[in-house]
Amino acid sequence: MTKELERDLGLYAVLAISIGAMVGSGIFILPALAVDIAGPAVILAYLLAGAIVLPAAVSKSEMATAMPEAGGTYLFIERGMGPLLGTVAGIGTWFALSFKGALALVGGVPYLLLLFDVPPSVTTPVALALAVLLVLVNLLGAKQTGRLQVGIVIVMLAALVWFVIGGVPSVRGSNYAPFFTGGAGGLLEATGLVFVSYAGVTKVASVAEEVSNPDRNIPIGILGSLVFTTILYALIVTVMIGVTDPVTIADSDTPMALAADATLGTAGVIAVVLAAILALVSTANAGILSSSRYPFAMARDDLVPDAMATISDRFGTPSNSITLTGVVLLLLIAFVPLLEIAKLASAFQILVFVLINLAVVAFREGSAEYEPSYTAPLYPWMQVAGAVGGLVLLTQMGTVPLVGAVVLTAAGVGWFAVYGRNRVDREGAAVDAVRRQVGRNAVDRTRETIDVVERDHRVLVALDHELSKEEERWFVRIAAAVARANDGEVVVARFEQVPDQVSLTYASETESPADVRFEAQTSELDAEFDVPVSSGTIVCHDVRHAIVNYADHEEADLLLMEEAASPAGLRGLLFGSDVEWVLRHAPCDVSLLNPGANGLGECDVVGVLSDEGPYDPAKIAVADAIAVAAGGSIRLAYAGRGDASDIEGKTLRDYHAAVAALCSVPVESCVPFGDSLRNGASDDLSDADLLVVSAAERTNDAIAAYLTGTDSPVLVVHQQESELRGRLARALERRLF
């Protein structure tokens, strides 16, 4: 039986975890660096960073109520954007939180040194000792962790509030001038730097599986802590700059203590130092608590070894995951220069927040089961603003952080390729959202193709050898159906090739028995169809050039020919068949008819066969016209499609239903979906009287194999305008659909 985590974190614990995860290095360490960049405008930098975090906060709140499970950021991105990006987000965020936790512990030691007369060499040993203690606390259970967090946050906030209230009377207005020392660029750079101060706002989502009443406590905890912390940050920085010269702040390792000394004296310094130590320990504690849940959640999704999902029988915590996180934390403290690493983690955190905003869009636009009890307001504009704002900040982080984010991303991709790809068979909601959009675009193009009736639509039937009356009837029937659907006419032309030594004038003036038979049988066929049918013989030296030139002369909208195999030998290898040449150079759409072994009979069932992509609009339009003329129906099928998930099946069913609604005849979708999906479509189209495929799909292995094994007539449709979309666009459609 699978063990589950106990839900014992209440609202106060949620608020404490979120506030404690934010109020740490963001206010005790970073202001000195930010003031050096932006001057007094750092106050706006904190407010702007909070505003940019807000979309990700409400998005994460929404997803946390829909999926209150351990894993947080990883879980939401994995479910929304797919296992690949989920792996990148999980591993990257795990490292980023570990980096930030280690930075908080090491950054807190300078404040500790203000109280004790100890050498700087004790910084690392003290940080290591604190890290070991916090790992042990987390191993004991989330309840103990939550209670510890509440106590730390209460004491810390009391000291910070005292700092603000006690410092306001000493504020000097002259310290804020000039305000925009670094200009707009400095403001944005400082905003990117302090952005990490708010990264902890959504950490509570990573322990959502342990939160009681998550539908209420998670949104209130996340949004409440963000608003409170943003205001607190702005007030603290305002007081800090107002009571101390900005240049002095920029040169200090303990800016908060420096400001407290200027307003509150020794007692204030002691209070701020204690608050700083508690805050930074709180940040590290929340980091261990939340980051350890990422390997835990990833293990349950088979993206990391199963050992990371083991829950302790004694304490009910993911002991292996916490232990691994603790080991990484200790190694970072002992061996890695953390300031630059923290900047790298900040850049990756911004990227993760961008993905969080996109994940909400993926869930809402896709067809995955998604029922949040809280929904983000102003959708999708808030998510778009958050994603764009995050990307703008990324451009202000500098080269090294961006390169670091790329390296972390590459590491996640590499791990998934080596370990996860062969263990998971899932797709994110974003894939289905894109698939649905591809389907909607294809339906729109199909609607335009079917609904636009072109008056005087001319279909040219090009015959390059003598056919019997029945054989010619097959081609005229197809041409007449398309022409009738567009209030057009049919032109049947027989192309007679003569040697180069023979004058075309002489050849055209000489009527052969074949010419007589052609004129006679075409006249008889004209009476069978309720569209105008005209005919003529074209004498030429080169059939393929003559066909293209005549189609251009007649302003043909569709050219119908007999499909022919490429010639054997070197000529076929180098030049292909005349038909292939015509496909490339024709001034209009082209259809190729292969009557099959038994010829074209009644078209009661017109089968439309496709590969993995959406159906070409021209293919649907032609099939509909033929089925209408025959009083038949259309059957949609795929060839060689692998097993589809239930989500994919629902999207494909909706797409087929939309296509069917555009047609004038009954349309049947003969592709089973979900667990019952069969490979191939041979059984489904075995009784089709005519198969319609796209020229671009003939090289598809599954379709080529199917067409080789069937005796049914095949109509190949080539839409010239589709070539403008390019092969890449069609390949992407097939891949995504």
Side-chain angles (χ1 to χ4, degrees), residues 26-33 35 40 42-43 46 111 160 163-164 167-168 170-172 175-176 232-250 252 254-260 262-263 272:
I27 199 62
F28 290 102
I29 299 174
L30 294 181
L33 299 174
V35 167
V42 69
I43 300 170
Y46 275 96
Y111 283 91
L160 295 177
F163 171 83
V164 172
V168 168
S170 302
V171 168
R172 298 188 300 272
N175 285 2
Y176 301 108
L232 180 64
Y233 278 163
L235 290 175
I236 290 174
V237 176
T238 300
V239 171
M240 188 185 304
I241 295 174
V243 301
T244 312
D245 180 65
V247 176
T248 304
I249 293 176
S252 175
T254 55
M256 281 286 291
L258 185 67
T263 57
V272 167

Side-chain angles (χ1 to χ4, degrees), residues 5 102 129 310 445 483 500-501 510 682:
L5 300 175
T310 301
R445 293 196 303 272
D500 293 342
Q501 297 84 354
T510 304
S682 57

